[in-house]
Amino acid sequence: MAKPIEKMGADEILVISRKLFYGGFCLLPLLWVYNILYIWPVRNRADLSPLVRRYLLLSGILAAMLFVYFSVWYGVFVKERLNWGARGDLLTVVLVKGV
Amino acid sequence: MDATRSGTRRMLRRLVMGLAAFCTLTTAQDSYDAVYNDIGSLPCVRLLNATGAIGCQSLNAASGVLYRTDTLADIQHFASDHDLKNKYTVVMPYWLLTSSNVETLRSTDKLSAIIAVVNGTDAAHTVAARPATINSPDSKCPNCEFGLYANTPNQYQWNPTGTDLLSQQFDFPIYALNTMDDRNIMSYNAVIQAVNINRFKGYSSYPLKSLQFHSFMWAAQDTGTCLRKGWCTPVGGASVWSTPSLNISSSDNKPIVVISAAMDSRSLFHDLTLGVESSITGMVTVLAVAEALSRSSIPLDTMQKHILYTLFTAEAWGFSGSQRFVQDISSPVNCIKPPASGSGCTYPFFSDLDFQHINPANIDIILEAGQVGGITSPAGGSPTLYAHIDNLQPTASAALLTQIVQVGSGALGNTTTPPATNAAVPVQAANGDGTQRGLPPSSAMSFLKARATIPTVVLTDYQKQMSSFTSQDLDDTWDPVNTVNAIQQAASVISKTAWMQAQGVSDATLMTPAQQQAIGSIQVNVQLVQDLLLCLTRNYSCPLIDGYLNVTASPSPPTRLPHYAGTLYSQSQPFSIFAWNFLANVTSVKGVTQNATGVPPPQVTGCSSRSETVQCTSDQFCVGDQCIQTMTRYHDAFGVGLGMAEDNSYFIKDASKPTWTESTWDPVGLRLFDVTSPGSQGGELAAGIVLTIVSIVLVVFGRRFLKKTLKVD
C-alpha cells in the first residue's frame, strides 16, 4: 500500500507536486485538478517548501482557465457543428442520425 | 472415465441452457403477440434537395391513441376538445389531408401521427364520400423551377389550385391505408376496427387502442449533408430509349423524330404512387404509337428520318431523366476508366455508350404525350386534346402545330376515319384562344433548353390547367371509355404525324397516292391501349407483360406496383424493364427487312424457355423468348445537379439543378396495442416502485436474519 500523504516528507511532496504540475502540460489537465485535491490536506504544513503552494496555485488557475475554455468550446460546438458542414463532421466522433 | 463424465455434464448443461433460452424466446414472442399487432405500412418518407428537406420524419418512436375524424368538423372538434388529455393518432380520409388541416392538428399539441385513408370500405372512406373537387398536392407549377421558363418572369402557372402539400416538411409520421390487396385490407380492417372501438368508448373509458410508429429517417438538413454522410441515395432509375433504325449514327446527318413521354410520377405515399393521369396515360400513348408505327407498310428504318422513342424516369423530380439524357448525348464521353470487359465505361459510369449514336444536332422534331387521359376532378365530359408549343420561339413549331391539328381533324381522307363506334376526340391548338402560355411542364423542355429552335408539340388533355389528380395518391382510376378514346386519339395523331414527318411530308394534302395508301397501315390498337392501362396500373402479371417477363412464374406474381422512380441502382425498375422489352420487340427487325438474298432472317426462339440449348449471338437480345437485334437501351436517370465520383459516391455538382435524394431509413412499421388510462399507468408505476422497495427491505432483513440464525460469515 502506498504511503499516505500525511506521512510523506516535505521533499517527497515537492517532487510529487512538481511532477503533477508539469505533467498537466502534456494535455492532461486533470493532473492539475488532482494535484490540488491530493496535496490539499497537507498544504499548510510548516515544513513544506513555498514552491508547493505556488504549484498548487498555478495548477488551480490553469485548470479553471481550461474549464472555461472547454465549456465555451463545447457550447459553440454543440450549437454550430451542423452548420460547419464537412469540417463539423470531421470534428465529430459519432455522427448523430436524423439531425 | 473422468473425461466422459465431464463431457456428459457439459452436454447436460448445454441442454438446460438451450431449453431455458427456448422458453424465454417463446414466452417473449408469445407476450409480444399478446400485446402488439404488427400492421403493414405505407409510409410518407423524407426526401432532400440542395436547399432543404420535404416529407416525414419522426425522431422518436411516436405512439398515440387512435382518434377518428371523417369531416372537417371532426377535425375542428378534436382541436377544441379539452377533455382529450393524451397523444393521438388521427385517422382521416386522404382528401382531408391538407396543409391547413395538418396545421390545425399539429398546433393542438395532441397529435402524434396521422393515418390517411386513400381507399376504404367504411362509408366515410369510399369514393362516394369524397368531395366533388379535390386539389392537386403538387406545387402551382410542378417542376417549373427546372423547366424551360425558369428564368422567365411571370411564367404561366399550370396547376393554380395546387396545395403544395408535397413540398412540406412534417416532423411526425404520416401513414396511408389503402384497401388495394389482401395484406392492406387486413391492415385497414385492424385500424378501423380499433378506432371504432375507441370512438364507441368516447375516447375516455380505458383501455383504448393505440398505434405505435417507427419511421426514423437518417438524413437531415439537405442533400449535400446527407450525401457526405452516406445517409441518402439519389432519386432515380432507368429511362428507356429505342429506335427502329439499327444503324443510327451520329454522323449520318439523318434528322430524328423524337416521340417522348414520362414513365414515373410522384405522390405523398410512394408505395401508392400510380399517377394514371399524371404519367401512365402518356406512357401508354408512346407504347401504342410504337406498336402502331411498327405496322407501317413502309419499313421505318428506310425513311428519310429516324424515329426515336424516349420514355424518361424521374421526370417528376425536376425532369431528371430527360435532362440527364440530353446532357449525356450533348457532350462527348471522356471515359477515364474503361471497363475490364464488355461495353460502357466504369468511370464516369455508363452501362453502354450507344447513346452516342444520337446526334442532338440531328433532332428534327419532338412530339410528346403528357396527361392525355381526360381524367379530372370533378369528372368532366368528353375530353379534348390540346397541342402546346413553346411561346419563346413560336415560329419554330408553328408548322408542326398546324400539321398536328390537321391530322387530328381526320383530314387524311378515308384512311384515317376512326372506328365508327367512338366519337373522335377533337385536337386543338392550345393557343387557339389567343393566349400564348408556352409549354406545360414536359420532358421536351430539356431538349429545348439545349437548343430552343427544335419544332416541338406537347399533347395534353388540358388547355389551361393540369388535372387536379396531378401527383395525387388518388390518381388510380380512369374512365373506361373517355380515357381509352383520348389515348387512342393521341397515339393516332402522334403516330401519323411522326410517320409523315419521317417521310418528309409536312402537309397531308401533299402526300403521294402511295403514301396515302401506306399511312392507312398505321392504326392504333385499342385493345392494346386497354391492356396497357390495366397492366401498368393494377396487374403487372397480365398476359401482355407475362409474355415478355414470365412474371407469373414467381411464387407471388406482382399485381399493383408503384410508379415512384425509386432510388438509383437500389430498386428494381419494373416499368422500365417492361418498356424496354416492349419497345425492343416492336422496333426490332423481324422479317420486315430482308437480307441480301431476299429471305427474311431466320427467327431464333426459345432463348428464354430453353435457355440451356438456345443462345442468342452477342449482338442479340432475348426478348419474349425470341432472339432479336434492337437499338433499345436503358439510360440512367438521376438529377443532373448530382455527380457520381470514382468510388461510386455521389456529390452535388450544381445546386441550381435537380438534386433530389431519398433518406435511408430504419425499418418502418406500426403496431397496435392497448393503452391503459394515464391514472392506471401511474398506479402501475407506483406499484412497481413499492414492490422494488419491499423486496430490497426483505433481502436486507432476510440476510441479517439468516446470518444470525445460521451463524455464518
Side-chain angles (χ1 to χ4, degrees):
Chain A
M1 208 123 147
K3 208 194 283 182
I5 185 106
E6 286 82 3
K7 293 181 184 166
M8 283 183 190
D11 293 345
E12 229 173 329
I13 292 173
L14 176 65
V15 170
I16 288 175
S17 184
R18 186 195 294 138
K19 275 184 183 161
L20 286 173
F21 175 70
Y22 286 114
F25 289 102
C26 311
L27 299 175
L28 297 167
L30 283 179
L31 284 186
W32 291 326
V33 179
Y34 182 73
N35 199 3
I36 300 168
L37 294 175
Y38 189 54
I39 313 285
W40 194 257
V42 295
R43 68 192 184 283
N44 290 329
R45 235 161 71 176
D47 62 339
L48 226 51
S49 152
L51 273 176
V52 173
R53 295 199 62 153
R54 185 177 298 167
Y55 285 139
L56 289 193
L57 184 69
L58 285 173
S59 290
I61 291 170
L62 286 168
M65 274 168 59
L66 273 178
F67 176 76
V68 171
Y69 175 79
F70 280 129
S71 303
V72 170
W73 162 249
Y74 178 75
V76 171
F77 176 72
V78 165
K79 196 168 168 292
E80 296 293 328
R81 78 191 152 89
L82 291 177
N83 303 331
W84 289 339
R87 203 175 308 160
D89 293 350
L90 214 64
L91 292 172
T92 311
V93 179
V94 179
L95 294 171
V96 184
K97 287 170 187 156
V99 293
Chain B
M1 179 76 184
D2 258 9
T4 3
R5 197 188 285 168
S6 74
T8 324
R9 207 180 289 164
R10 207 180 308 144
M11 241 174 66
L12 252 170
R13 199 187 308 150
R14 264 190 213 155
L15 197 75
V16 171
M17 276 167 67
L19 252 169
F22 176 76
C23 291
T24 355
L25 272 179
T26 42
T27 48
Q29 188 57 47
D30 285 349
S31 58
Y32 181 91
D33 287 345
V35 176
Y36 295 113
N37 177 8
D38 282 296
I39 284 176
S41 56
L42 307 167
C44 147
V45 301
R46 175 132 295 187
L47 294 161
L48 307 100
N49 65 11
T51 51
I54 62 164
C56 305
Q57 159 72 304
S58 139
L59 288 175
N60 308 311
S63 77
V65 174
L66 286 162
Y67 187 97
R68 180 166 177 165
T69 57
D70 292 344
T71 58
L72 191 59
D74 288 347
I75 290 181
Q76 282 153 354
H77 182 257
F78 172 83
S80 57
D81 189 345
H82 296 296
D83 292 334
L84 299 171
K85 300 270 188 245
N86 240 309
K87 287 274 187 185
Y88 294 87
T89 298
V90 175
V91 181
M92 59 164 73
Y94 176 84
W95 57 267
L96 271 178
L97 191 70
T98 61
S99 310
S100 62
N101 287 351
V102 170
E103 186 46 39
T104 307
L105 290 171
R106 203 190 55 75
S107 61
T108 60
D109 250 13
K110 294 185 285 197
L111 181 73
S112 78
I114 292 178
I115 296 220
V117 183
V118 176
N119 284 302
T121 44
D122 200 282
H125 305 139
T126 55
V127 177
R130 292 177 196 164
T133 309
I134 295 174
N135 292 325
S136 160
D138 214 323
S139 66
K140 302 231 181 290
C141 194
N143 287 317
C144 293
E145 65 273 35
F146 303 115
L148 184 60
Y149 311 114
N151 301 320
T152 315
N154 303 323
Q155 64 171 319
Y156 187 75
Q157 306 287 297
W158 289 98
N159 192 24
T161 54
T163 61
D164 215 10
L165 185 77
L166 294 182
S167 65
Q168 289 187 15
Q169 227 187 94
F170 305 105
D171 51 4
F172 50 85
I174 303 181
Y175 280 77
L177 289 175
N178 192 12
T179 49
M180 57 185 180
D181 54 33
D182 290 346
R183 192 176 130 79
N184 281 293
I185 289 172
M186 268 169 61
S187 306
Y188 173 80
N189 288 341
V191 171
I192 294 305
Q193 199 183 1
V195 77
N196 284 346
I197 290 174
N198 283 0
R199 186 163 68 168
F200 179 73
K201 289 176 167 180
Y203 306 105
S204 57
S205 71
Y206 290 86
L208 289 171
K209 299 285 180 188
S210 188
L211 253 189
Q212 191 180 35
F213 300 82
H214 296 276
S215 57
F216 179 64
M217 304 285 147
W218 292 18
Q221 291 182 295
D222 52 38
T223 286
T225 309
C226 71
L227 281 178
R228 198 174 64 232
K229 297 176 180 176
W231 292 346
C232 54
T233 321
V235 172
S239 300
V240 175
W241 63 269
S242 176
T243 172
S245 311
L246 279 178
N247 302 321
I248 188 170
S249 109
S250 61
S251 54
D252 61 9
N253 284 327
K254 208 167 145 179
I256 302 171
V257 175
V258 176
I259 299 168
S260 186
M263 268 197 291
D264 75 305
S265 59
R266 64 184 287 200
S267 67
L268 189 61
F269 305 105
H270 296 165
D271 302 295
L272 295 181
T273 309
L274 274 187
V276 176
E277 170 74 349
S278 308
S279 74
I280 294 177
T281 51
M283 179 181 177
V284 169
T285 304
V286 169
L287 295 178
V289 166
E291 197 274 339
L293 284 176
S294 76
R295 292 194 266 162
S296 163
S297 56
I298 302 174
L300 295 175
D301 55 347
T302 60
M303 293 191 177
Q304 291 178 22
K305 298 177 185 177
H306 295 299
I307 287 178
L308 174 70
Y309 306 108
T310 54
L311 286 170
F312 295 115
T313 294
E315 286 301 273
W317 305 96
F319 312 117
S320 296
S322 54
Q323 288 192 2
R324 187 156 287 275
F325 182 75
V326 171
Q327 173 185 296
D328 289 344
I329 62 170
S330 303
S331 48
V333 174
N334 176 21
C335 187
I336 295 165
K337 220 161 98 186
S341 66
S343 58
C345 179
T346 306
Y347 179 74
F349 180 72
F350 291 106
S351 54
D352 70 80
L353 296 174
D354 289 334
F355 59 86
Q356 291 181 303
H357 292 308
I358 303 163
N359 186 345
N362 287 348
I363 292 176
D364 189 48
I365 66 161
I366 301 169
L367 299 169
E368 178 168 345
Q371 302 181 348
V372 289
I375 307 163
T376 53
S377 166
S382 56
T384 303
L385 291 174
Y386 293 94
H388 301 262
I389 59 166
D390 173 31
N391 60 349
L392 300 179
Q393 305 276 349
T395 48
S397 307
L400 185 63
L401 179 66
T402 313
Q403 188 179 6
I404 284 261
V405 174
Q406 183 191 37
V407 172
S409 69
L412 301 183
N414 53 8
T415 52
T416 60
T417 321
T421 47
N422 298 330
V425 175
V427 179
Q428 295 176 8
N431 59 13
D433 61 352
T435 312
Q436 306 286 340
R437 298 176 193 88
L439 289 175
S442 50
S443 312
M445 289 178 161
S446 307
F447 290 92
L448 294 180
K449 271 178 123 175
R451 186 157 56 90
T453 52
I454 308 172
T456 301
V457 166
V458 176
L459 211 56
T460 67
D461 58 19
Y462 55 87
Q463 182 179 27
K464 302 169 183 169
Q465 186 176 342
M466 297 170 94
S467 166
S468 51
F469 279 110
T470 302
S471 307
Q472 278 269 18
D473 289 289
L474 301 176
D475 188 8
D476 55 2
T477 51
W478 64 90
D479 184 309
V481 178
N482 282 343
T483 303
V484 173
N485 277 352
I487 294 176
Q488 188 210 353
Q489 173 70 335
S492 174
V493 168
I494 291 178
S495 53
K496 282 172 183 152
T497 309
W499 191 92
M500 285 162 65
Q501 282 284 341
Q503 285 284 306
V505 180
S506 56
D507 188 339
T509 53
L510 300 178
M511 280 198 289
T512 64
Q515 285 172 327
Q516 291 268 11
Q517 182 71 29
I519 201 169
S521 59
I522 316 286
Q523 291 293 343
V524 174
N525 183 343
V526 181
Q527 186 59 45
L528 176 72
V529 170
Q530 287 166 343
D531 289 348
L532 281 169
L533 267 175
L534 202 62
C535 293
L536 298 180
T537 52
R538 291 183 202 144
N539 187 15
Y540 194 72
S541 302
C542 66
L544 177 63
I545 296 183
D546 195 44
Y548 288 109
L549 304 171
N550 198 15
V551 272
T552 49
S554 104
S556 55
T559 50
R560 172 177 162 158
L561 295 176
H563 279 251
Y564 166 57
T567 47
L568 193 61
Y569 305 134
S570 50
Q571 276 167 342
S572 76
Q573 299 279 323
F575 299 105
S576 306
I577 292 170
F578 168 66
W580 188 96
N581 279 274
F582 184 91
L583 287 175
N585 185 33
V586 298
T587 58
S588 67
V589 181
K590 284 197 303 275
V592 176
T593 309
Q594 303 191 332
N595 60 16
T597 55
V599 186
Q603 292 181 14
V604 182
T605 55
C607 52
S608 163
S609 57
R610 292 174 286 125
S611 54
E612 58 290 337
T613 51
V614 181
Q615 273 169 353
C616 303
T617 56
S618 63
D619 61 340
Q620 290 180 326
F621 296 88
C622 186
V623 175
D625 213 22
Q626 202 169 30
C627 290
I628 59 166
Q629 240 181 318
T630 177
M631 186 51 88
T632 305
R633 299 290 182 268
Y634 293 109
H635 198 87
D636 287 339
F638 61 103
V640 286
L642 296 172
M644 194 179 180
E646 205 170 341
D647 62 352
N648 294 343
S649 66
Y650 304 94
F651 59 93
I652 291 191
K653 215 161 117 188
D654 183 346
S656 67
K657 290 176 176 164
T659 50
W660 286 107
T661 52
E662 181 182 312
S663 169
T664 309
W665 358 299
D666 282 343
V668 297
L670 44 162
R671 51 193 194 179
L672 204 57
F673 65 102
D674 282 337
V675 68
T676 49
S677 72
S680 74
Q681 282 177 30
E684 279 167 36
L685 182 67
I689 292 171
V690 167
L691 214 64
T692 311
I693 294 172
V694 166
S695 30
I696 290 171
V697 168
L698 270 178
V699 167
V700 169
F701 279 96
R703 266 174 68 172
R704 214 174 275 176
F705 175 75
L706 283 176
K707 257 186 202 171
K708 213 179 267 176
T709 45
L710 300 177
K711 299 221 161 51
V712 285
D713 282 321

